[in-house]
Structures are given as C-alpha cells and as structure tokens.
Amino acid sequence: MTIQNDTQKADLIEGGKRLAMVLRALRAKVAPGVTAEELDTLAEQMIRDGGDKPCFLGYTPEGANRPYPATLCVSINDEVVHGIPNESVKTLKEGDIVGLDLGLTHNGVIVDAAITIAVGTVSDETRNLLRATEESLTAGIAQAAAGNHIGDISHAIQKVIEDAGFKVVKELGGHGVGELVHEEPFIPNFGRAGEGEVLTEGMVLALEPIATAGKAAVILSPDGYTYRTKDGSRSAHFEHTILIEKTGGRTITMA
Ligand code: MG
C-alpha cells in the first residue's frame, strides 16, 4: 500500500511497534525444549490481547491449496520459511536455529516481520549466516529511499550475503504490504542496482532476505507451505516492514 493520510501512517507505526513487542517476547521464550506450538500460542495470545488480528492465520497465499493454519511461521534449521508450528510436534534443541515470521493487522493495516534466532550455542558458520542475513536487511533498508529503484535494494541485499560466502534463495523475496499480506511489487533478494520500479514516498514494503549456508535450491514440502533447502543446509531469514521516505527506508517493525 501507499500511505494516504496521517491516520493510516499512525496505525502503521503503532502496528509495527506491537509486532516488534511480540517478536521480542518470542525471542525471550526461545530455548531448548520449547515447542513451535508454544511459540505460536504465545504470539496469537499477545496479538489478540492487544485487540489486533493475526494475519497469516486463515490466509491463503497465491498458489496454496488451503489456508495457513497458524499465527506464526516457525522454520527450524533447513526449513527456509513458512514452517507450520501446530501440525506436528517440533521441539527446539540446543544448537538449532529458528526463524519466526509473524504478521498482524492493526486497525486494518498489516505489518510483517521475521527474525532468526540461535537456540543456545551454534557453530561459527551458523552465527555468520545469521549475521550476514541480518546485515543484508539493514543494507537493503538503507537503499529504500524515494527515487531509488527496487534493484538498488535487491543488489544491496545480494552483495552482503554473497560477500559473506552464502547464497540467496531466488524463489522467495520481499513484497508490498499494508492492505494485503502480499502485494505488488515483488522484491527479489538479487538483482542489479538502478533497475526495476522506482520507489515513491509513502510506499509500504516488507523486505526479507533469505539466505542459505549451502546451495540456494529450495523444495516445497508436502504440507504445501514449508520450504526447505534441497541439500539440507541451514537457512536464515530476517524481515522488516518499512515505509519509504525521502531519505531512506523507515523501519516500522524494529524489535
Ligand atoms: Mg513477508
């Protein structure tokens, strides 16, 4: 969406604060022995307690054959994105990494964000994967100024991930957000600077770099939602909803 008035902007900002608060609580709860379903339950409870609505629950993305069954996406280790937390028992173990992707609707405005967290102590390579993916998001946001192109964001994200020795997942990427969970434009995490649509003030985008420690190929699981790396390598995902301003992207979902 593109912000039309001050009320909408205030709702976007408030929604982003609330989403960040829930992600902080989830981060604090992550530990060996905690189940994905417990994280999902906490996320849904906190969102509803605030008077808002989970926006992934019951949402059917393009190409899916059934609605998403949970509030939160919980993707562990080689699960790339859209891991379902409540259809099998998934228990976090020491040394795992877990991606948490969450969206909520506040006064009709949708915000979307994700973090990937180490469960206890992880290897140096895994720590670097998390750091590079998060840094690539920061680099992408810095390019999200009115007048720049989508390719400026894509290129900045790709460069940070590949310079660190990791791979960008090509099939998945960022998107417009606000009125719907997924809106135009699609924002690839790879590309050339100066190419693609021009960003304009007031656009609301979800930027979401997704990187792998091994090869970039991903496969969709039989559940219709969970993407995994084809080679079983680990994958990281960070996401913020941002507002395009004159000088750059303003992060709405800062945790
Ligand atoms: Mg998203």
Side-chain angles (χ1 to χ4, degrees):
M1 70 187 265
T2 296
I3 292 293
Q4 303 296 337
N5 56 55
D6 288 349
T7 307
Q8 226 175 26
K9 185 171 174 176
D11 286 336
L12 175 74
I13 290 167
E14 177 61 24
K17 274 190 200 156
R18 291 175 179 214
L19 181 56
M21 189 179 71
V22 179
L23 283 172
R24 272 198 301 276
L26 293 171
R27 181 192 287 280
K29 194 175 169 70
V30 163
V34 172
T35 67
E37 185 161 25
E38 287 168 337
L39 297 171
D40 179 60
T41 301
L42 175 63
E44 180 171 4
Q45 192 63 51
M46 285 187 75
I47 289 171
R48 294 202 190 280
D49 285 352
D52 298 322
K53 275 187 285 196
C55 64
F56 298 166
L57 180 66
Y59 171 69
T60 307
E62 206 181 303
N65 62 3
R66 61 170 179 143
Y68 188 72
T71 291
L72 184 68
C73 299
V74 181
S75 306
I76 301 171
N77 297 336
D78 65 323
E79 295 176 344
V80 177
V81 288
H82 306 160
I84 297 174
N86 57 353
E87 291 187 342
S88 61
V89 179
K90 294 164 81 174
T91 306
L92 299 178
K93 298 188 309 293
E94 173 79 22
D96 284 347
I97 55 172
V98 59
L100 305 176
D101 189 352
L102 182 64
L104 65 77
T105 309
H106 173 69
N107 288 348
V109 178
I110 293 174
V111 287
D112 185 3
I115 51 178
T116 303
I117 304 165
V119 183
T121 306
V122 297
S123 69
D124 286 351
E125 188 197 42
T126 296
R127 217 174 15 252
N128 288 338
L129 173 68
L130 299 187
R131 183 165 52 220
T133 311
E134 188 165 21
E135 283 176 5
S136 78
L137 176 56
T138 305
I141 293 170
Q143 289 299 319
N148 275 6
H149 294 255
I150 283 181
D152 295 316
I153 296 173
S154 303
H155 177 73
I157 289 172
Q158 179 179 21
K159 183 164 175 22
V160 173
I161 290 171
E162 292 185 351
D163 284 357
F166 301 112
K167 295 280 195 303
V168 167
V169 172
K170 298 283 196 329
E171 293 88 338
L172 302 159
H175 51 90
V177 69
E179 285 175 39
L180 305 170
V181 176
H182 293 110
E183 300 173 12
E184 295 293 314
F186 178 70
I187 305 163
N189 292 315
F190 62 98
R192 290 171 191 273
E195 292 190 350
E197 189 177 328
V198 174
L199 305 171
T200 55
E201 220 180 325
M203 282 175 83
V204 182
L205 303 176
L207 305 188
E208 49 181 325
I210 299 157
T212 64
K215 291 186 174 152
V218 295
I219 46 174
L220 183 59
S221 300
D223 68 19
Y225 277 97
T226 312
Y227 283 91
R228 295 173 179 275
T229 57
K230 199 172 174 189
D231 65 3
S233 66
R234 289 184 162 196
S235 174
H237 174 213
F238 286 84
E239 176 177 21
H240 277 306
T241 295
I242 65 163
L243 174 63
I244 304 301
E245 296 186 331
K246 281 198 183 76
T247 53
R250 171 171 174 176
T251 303
I252 296 301
T253 47
M254 189 58 82

